[in-house]
Amino acid sequence: MPPPADIVKVAIEWPGAYPKLMEIDQKKPLSAIIKEVCDGWSLANHEYFALQHADSSNFYITEKNRNEIKNGTILRLTTSPAQNAQQLHERIQSSSMDAKLEALKDLASLSRDVTFAQEFINLDGISLLTQMVESGTERYQKLQKIMKPCFGDMLSFTLTAFVELMDHGIVSWDTFSVAFIKKIASFVNKSGMDISILQRSLAILESMVLNSHDLYQKVAQEITIGQLIPHLQGTDQEIQTYTIAVINALFLKAPDERRQVGVESSVDILDCPLTEMANILAQKQLRSIILTHVIRAQRAINNEMAHQLYVLQVLTFNLLEDRMMTKMDPQDQAQRDIIFELRRIAFDAESEPNNSSGSMEKRKSMYTRDYKKLGFINHVNPAMDFTQTPPGMLALDNMLYFAKHHQDAYIRIVLENSSREDKHECPFGRSSIELTRMLCEILKVGELPSETCNDFHPMFFTHDRSFEEFFCICIQLLNKTWKEMRATSEDFNKVMQVVKEQVMRALTTKPSSLDQFKCKLQNLSYTEILKIRQSERMNQEDFQSRPILELKEKIQPEILELIKQQRLNRLVEGTCFRKLNCRRRQDKFWYCRLSPNHKVLHYGDLEESPQGEVPHDSLQDKLPVADIKAVVTGKDCPHMKEKGALKQNKEVLELAFSILYDSNCQLNFIAPDKHEYCIWTDGLNALLGKDMMSELTRNDLDTLLSMEIKLRLLDLENIQIPDAPPPIPKEPSNYDFVYDCN
């Protein structure tokens, strides 16, 4: 007979004694269980003791998390969080350097536990740590020659403990003094600082900026790009990641008027506060440093760095939002002058020299004719074409950039289409407006960066005006595709759809430069797109006859079983999941995998992202598959209830799923990407005997069904298909031979 669900069998350790095997009744108060354990070892004052996990996490057992205790868990009897916090509070103030260093090391480790953190914070521990940081700097400078390693470790452990304590969200960031901010900033600004101190200082500055508007102002006054550039030029990718994260945080929180500083500002980039974000990001130096020392460095870019580069890319493109949402004022002479400039560049070379002396009516007639050649919808007043947002004035900015920086191509496109009489002319003005809108949609201009995405494009870091250059390449592509399609004005939307497909397919290859992007587009001509579409259509529409459909129905269960086995095999391999919090840089990892017999889910926390599979025996927690009640996704997940409908949480919502078990227990997941999300939701549903409903399953089913049917329809009569691949031929006895290409 199985034991009651409320009874959990565990082992409990106590230093200097043999471990005890014990049955814990989850219905009993935790204090009563601790008293029972203490009585077994004849320990008095049971209120001074607590239970904690004996694994590397060392987390305390509380009434809130006691349901996470599973059969076979190893626990440790230890001093209570309140006692531990009190002792450490006293030890870190010791006059002995060795004792102080050891106490700070313990504090840095224990501060990850929210129960301990609450007790230590109640003793005003955060204030004590900030005072130590402020006063410790002078002592560090005085004694660095004789005790630099000791003081370096001491400061590192102090900052680590501070970061861990603040991560729990118990204390407001607004409580810190300017003196403390200056000290933290000085660690970043100082050259030759210990890596661990620099890393934690950058993490603290990032959190300050993200969590407090007042601190953003103070941090922005202390940090200049001049101090951050050396960290980007270094070889430590983690430091580079933290540095870009600080830049992103400052940029994200900068007031709009400070983001939009003019590109032509004469402010010195090396001394400019980071509040002048638009000016800084427009400077070649910062962009080229990131390109040279981060993107093109001789090492792989890890996921966190990719995410930060993606965020920087999104925030940079979001600078265009203001122009994208600004309507043109037909009465604004400066804006009208831009349209005049477009006309002048295209047609002045062929205009008659005495045109300016003509009558007003003649000039208006000439302008109307020229505006029609330029491809505007409103020939009389083309300013009206730019009153719709998006793309607003951004389209006009792109057209002017193209006309000035690629003048030959601009004149060629305009004159080539204005001289046609066969209704196949491509309207440059209308095309530019629609293309700008389309590119803004593709790059999601105006949307906040996702918390999980790391989809950055290296080519956008290769030019100071990357969006404008992107437009220039695409407008020439549009003109080329228009001619290949022999399109008329009625085909305008069809052409735009083809161009969008060409651009999207080229972007998925992640070209490393704009020139490479241009080459990719050259290979994606309209003819090639038709071939791709035809191939995809054949895969979708082939074999629609009744016998083939019956064959599909017959072999579909076999294919679904194959997909099911693949999903379960992937669950057996396991996946590393991320625990998201307010600061991605300090995210924790945990791993989950299915046992080979498909009976138990093993899971547990990790210190860092693993390389390869994690063994079952190193994962502390277990969840029997038989205990799983349901699998929920998206908004139905318990950990997504509080997220609301914020734009930045949209993608997290799409990757969230939870396993519900027992009465009020759940195991919450945020998949690393959409593919893993589909794998796990499919696999869990298969374990529960439910249908696999993901998009990935539909795609796999279509692909495998198509392949299987094509194989069965091949003319293979009297052809023996081997079960194993043919053997590799033996090496020749000698290599004394030559092949003459001539």
Side-chain angles (χ1 to χ4, degrees):
M1 182 176 177
D6 296 321
I7 302 298
V8 183
K9 295 181 178 181
V10 299
I12 301 179
E13 299 175 344
W14 173 250
Y18 287 109
K20 281 188 174 185
L21 295 177
M22 187 173 177
E23 290 186 351
I24 291 179
D25 187 349
Q26 292 285 39
K27 291 180 179 179
K28 276 187 179 181
L30 190 59
S31 57
I33 295 171
I34 294 171
K35 184 178 186 305
E36 185 180 339
V37 174
C38 290
D39 290 344
W41 274 309
S42 302
L43 299 172
N45 301 320
H46 72 274
E47 62 272 12
Y48 294 155
F49 292 90
L51 292 173
Q52 67 178 181
H53 288 281
D55 56 29
S56 58
S57 69
N58 293 328
F59 287 168
Y60 281 99
I61 305 298
T62 65
E63 291 290 355
K64 289 183 178 179
N65 65 19
R66 62 184 294 178
N67 286 331
E68 296 176 9
I69 302 175
K70 305 299 176 188
N71 284 316
T73 301
I74 301 175
L75 304 178
R76 182 188 298 121
L77 184 67
T78 185
T79 51
S80 68
Q83 286 289 107
N84 225 343
Q86 183 65 50
Q87 291 170 9
L88 279 174
H89 194 272
E90 294 169 1
R91 286 170 57 201
I92 62 176
Q93 300 180 73
S94 170
S95 57
S96 167
M97 288 298 170
D98 290 338
K100 192 170 189 172
L101 180 62
E102 195 63 31
L104 285 168
K105 184 177 180 180
D106 291 342
L107 179 63
S109 175
L110 285 167
S111 295
R112 293 178 301 165
D113 183 79
V114 65
T115 310
F116 170 84
Q118 183 68 69
E119 296 292 344
F120 188 78
I121 289 169
N122 290 343
L123 297 172
D124 208 16
I126 293 284
S127 297
L128 178 59
L129 291 179
T130 55
Q131 289 168 17
M132 290 173 63
V133 170
E134 292 175 22
S135 60
T137 308
E138 288 81 16
R139 298 178 69 187
Y140 177 81
Q141 291 171 343
K142 291 175 184 176
L143 300 175
Q144 62 178 342
K145 291 184 179 180
I146 56 174
M147 297 185 72
K148 182 173 181 179
C150 176
F151 267 79
D153 291 343
M154 196 176 294
L155 185 56
S156 175
F157 288 134
T158 304
L159 293 177
T160 302
F162 176 84
V163 168
E164 296 290 354
L165 290 168
M166 291 303 297
D167 262 358
H168 297 298
I170 300 170
V171 179
S172 170
W173 284 93
D174 289 310
T175 58
F176 299 108
S177 65
V178 175
F180 178 70
I181 298 169
K182 286 181 179 289
K183 293 296 181 187
I184 298 297
S186 70
F187 301 148
V188 174
N189 294 340
K190 193 178 298 179
S191 60
M193 183 57 68
D194 181 81
I195 291 293
S196 60
I197 296 173
L198 176 59
Q199 182 188 96
R200 286 153 183 78
S201 299
L202 287 166
I204 291 170
L205 292 176
E206 182 198 3
S207 291
M208 286 179 171
V209 172
L210 291 175
N211 291 285
S212 169
H213 177 72
D214 291 338
L215 291 186
Y216 155 74
Q217 302 283 358
K218 294 167 185 174
V219 170
Q221 292 171 6
E222 297 297 326
I223 301 293
T224 64
I225 198 69
Q227 280 89 28
L228 291 180
I229 281 178
H231 304 321
L232 292 173
Q233 292 174 319
T235 57
D236 190 305
Q237 188 172 114
E238 197 162 2
I239 293 298
Q240 291 175 324
T241 304
Y242 278 78
T243 303
I244 297 177
V246 172
I247 294 174
N248 287 339
L250 284 159
F251 187 21
L252 190 62
K253 295 298 179 180
D256 289 342
E257 64 274 11
R258 291 191 168 179
R259 292 188 202 176
Q260 299 294 343
V261 175
V263 172
E264 303 300 328
S265 171
S266 61
V267 181
D268 183 0
I269 187 172
L270 293 177
D271 299 315
C272 176
L274 278 174
T275 46
E276 320 291 10
M277 291 307 303
N279 181 50
I280 290 170
L281 292 173
Q283 301 296 325
K284 182 178 181 181
Q285 190 175 14
L286 180 61
R287 178 195 58 76
S288 62
I289 286 171
I290 291 175
L291 179 67
T292 304
H293 296 279
V294 178
I295 297 174
R296 292 182 176 172
Q298 298 301 310
R299 60 175 180 269
I301 292 177
N302 61 36
N303 287 339
E304 192 50 51
M305 174 60 85
H307 171 75
Q308 290 304 329
L309 291 171
Y310 153 78
V311 172
L312 183 58
Q313 172 186 293
V314 170
L315 295 177
T316 305
F317 283 141
N318 281 357
L319 291 174
L320 304 168
E321 184 181 12
D322 183 59
R323 294 293 284 174
M324 182 182 77
M325 301 307 294
T326 300
K327 295 181 180 181
M328 184 171 185
D329 181 3
Q331 307 305 317
D332 188 318
Q333 188 58 42
Q335 295 179 1
R336 291 171 64 86
D337 286 345
I338 299 176
I339 298 177
F340 292 150
E341 181 68 6
L342 289 173
R343 181 204 156 274
R344 185 195 66 78
I345 294 172
F347 301 118
D348 260 15
E350 61 177 21
S351 298
E352 297 176 11
N354 61 350
N355 267 351
S356 58
S357 59
S359 66
M360 183 64 69
E361 290 76 12
K362 188 176 181 180
R363 289 179 61 190
K364 281 184 178 180
S365 173
M366 181 182 66
Y367 284 169
T368 300
R369 182 197 65 202
D370 289 347
Y371 291 147
K372 183 178 180 181
K373 290 181 179 180
L374 278 170
F376 289 113
I377 297 174
N378 192 318
H379 308 150
V380 177
N381 187 5
M384 300 303 295
D385 288 12
F386 301 95
T387 55
Q388 186 177 355
T389 58
M393 287 295 292
L394 183 60
L396 188 58
D397 295 341
N398 284 339
M399 293 168 70
L400 183 63
Y401 181 91
F402 181 50
K404 284 189 170 182
H405 294 83
H406 300 270
Q407 195 170 110
D408 291 343
Y410 167 71
I411 293 174
R412 176 178 55 78
I413 288 175
V414 172
L415 296 184
E416 186 179 86
N417 287 287
S418 63
S419 60
R420 301 185 69 136
E421 298 293 339
D422 55 1
K423 296 184 179 180
H424 289 288
E425 68 276 4
C426 176
F428 173 74
R430 183 185 175 190
S431 299
S432 298
I433 293 169
E434 288 302 317
L435 179 64
T436 301
R437 180 188 289 110
M438 185 186 81
L439 298 183
C440 288
E441 287 177 3
I442 291 173
L443 299 177
K444 299 181 179 178
V445 175
E447 292 188 20
L448 288 172
S450 161
E451 294 175 358
T452 58
C453 185
N454 55 13
D455 185 27
F456 82 98
H457 294 276
M459 73 176 192
F460 291 129
F461 291 85
T462 62
H463 201 283
D464 296 326
R465 305 289 292 275
S466 58
F467 184 81
E468 289 86 343
E469 288 293 324
F470 186 43
F471 168 84
C472 293
I473 293 171
C474 292
I475 192 65
Q476 294 178 72
L477 168 72
L478 192 154
N479 187 65
K480 172 175 169 284
T481 302
W482 185 283
K483 289 189 291 185
E484 290 173 348
M485 293 177 67
R486 296 282 296 166
T488 63
S489 57
E490 288 80 11
D491 302 318
F492 186 86
N493 291 332
K494 292 180 182 177
V495 175
M496 295 305 299
Q497 289 172 6
V498 173
V499 170
K500 184 173 184 178
E501 186 173 346
Q502 290 170 313
V503 172
M504 294 289 285
R505 288 185 183 276
L507 284 177
T508 55
T509 64
K510 292 293 180 71
S512 59
S513 66
L514 290 164
D515 285 339
Q516 197 176 96
F517 174 68
K518 196 184 298 184
C519 291
K520 297 286 183 185
L521 291 176
Q522 290 292 333
N523 297 327
L524 285 169
S525 64
Y526 176 58
T527 304
E528 185 63 26
I529 292 293
L530 286 179
K531 288 180 182 178
I532 294 171
R533 286 181 174 180
Q534 184 178 7
S535 174
E536 292 175 349
R537 196 180 301 117
M538 284 178 64
N539 288 334
Q540 293 171 1
E541 298 177 0
D542 266 2
F543 316 121
Q544 294 301 312
S545 64
R546 186 170 178 178
I548 299 300
L549 291 175
E550 290 176 356
L551 179 60
K552 275 187 178 182
E553 287 181 15
K554 183 178 178 181
I555 64 177
Q556 183 166 316
E558 180 185 335
I559 300 296
L560 283 172
E561 182 62 28
L562 184 66
I563 295 172
K564 175 184 173 181
Q565 290 304 317
Q566 188 272 340
R567 300 295 191 262
L568 294 177
N569 289 340
R570 280 288 292 108
L571 264 61
V572 170
E573 292 175 14
T575 301
C576 179
F577 296 93
R578 189 186 292 274
K579 289 184 176 180
L580 287 182
N581 59 15
C582 60
R583 270 189 321 100
R584 282 181 56 108
R585 251 59 42 213
Q586 293 297 316
D587 287 352
K588 307 300 188 297
F589 297 94
W590 68 289
Y591 200 88
C592 187
R593 62 181 301 181
L594 181 66
S595 62
N597 63 4
H598 302 172
K599 296 284 182 67
V600 179
L601 283 172
H602 298 263
Y603 62 96
D605 292 338
L606 302 174
E607 293 297 323
E608 58 184 3
S609 183
Q611 302 297 323
E613 293 183 17
V614 177
H616 291 95
D617 51 11
S618 65
L619 300 173
Q620 312 87 2
D621 301 308
K622 298 178 182 178
L623 172 60
V625 172
D627 290 351
I628 298 176
K629 306 297 183 188
V631 176
V632 295
T633 60
K635 292 181 180 179
D636 296 328
C637 296
H639 60 314
M640 292 289 111
K641 300 280 187 182
E642 305 164 358
K643 289 285 185 178
L646 294 177
K647 200 184 292 183
Q648 59 265 45
N649 293 317
K650 181 181 176 183
E651 290 201 28
V652 176
L653 206 62
E654 293 174 353
L655 299 175
F657 61 98
S658 297
I659 295 174
L660 306 183
Y661 63 98
D662 290 345
S663 53
N664 291 313
C665 299
Q666 67 268 340
L667 194 59
N668 298 321
F669 298 76
I670 295 178
D673 51 50
K674 193 68 178 176
H675 182 267
E676 287 296 320
Y677 169 85
C678 293
I679 290 287
W680 274 84
T681 52
D682 282 344
L684 292 171
N685 281 323
L687 285 173
L688 298 178
K690 297 181 179 179
D691 292 336
M692 299 178 292
M693 304 297 293
S694 76
E695 183 181 348
L696 183 63
T697 292
R698 290 195 297 271
N699 292 338
D700 287 350
L701 181 62
D702 290 343
T703 302
L704 293 172
L705 269 176
S706 175
M707 288 175 59
E708 183 67 20
I709 288 173
K710 287 177 181 177
L711 282 172
R712 294 195 182 197
L713 293 178
L714 286 175
D715 185 9
L716 298 177
E717 188 176 355
N718 299 323
I719 297 176
Q720 185 67 35
I721 301 176
D723 294 328
I728 299 174
K730 293 181 180 179
E731 291 189 13
S733 57
N734 64 67
Y735 292 90
D736 301 332
F737 52 84
V738 65
Y739 179 74
D740 189 356
C741 297
N742 300 320

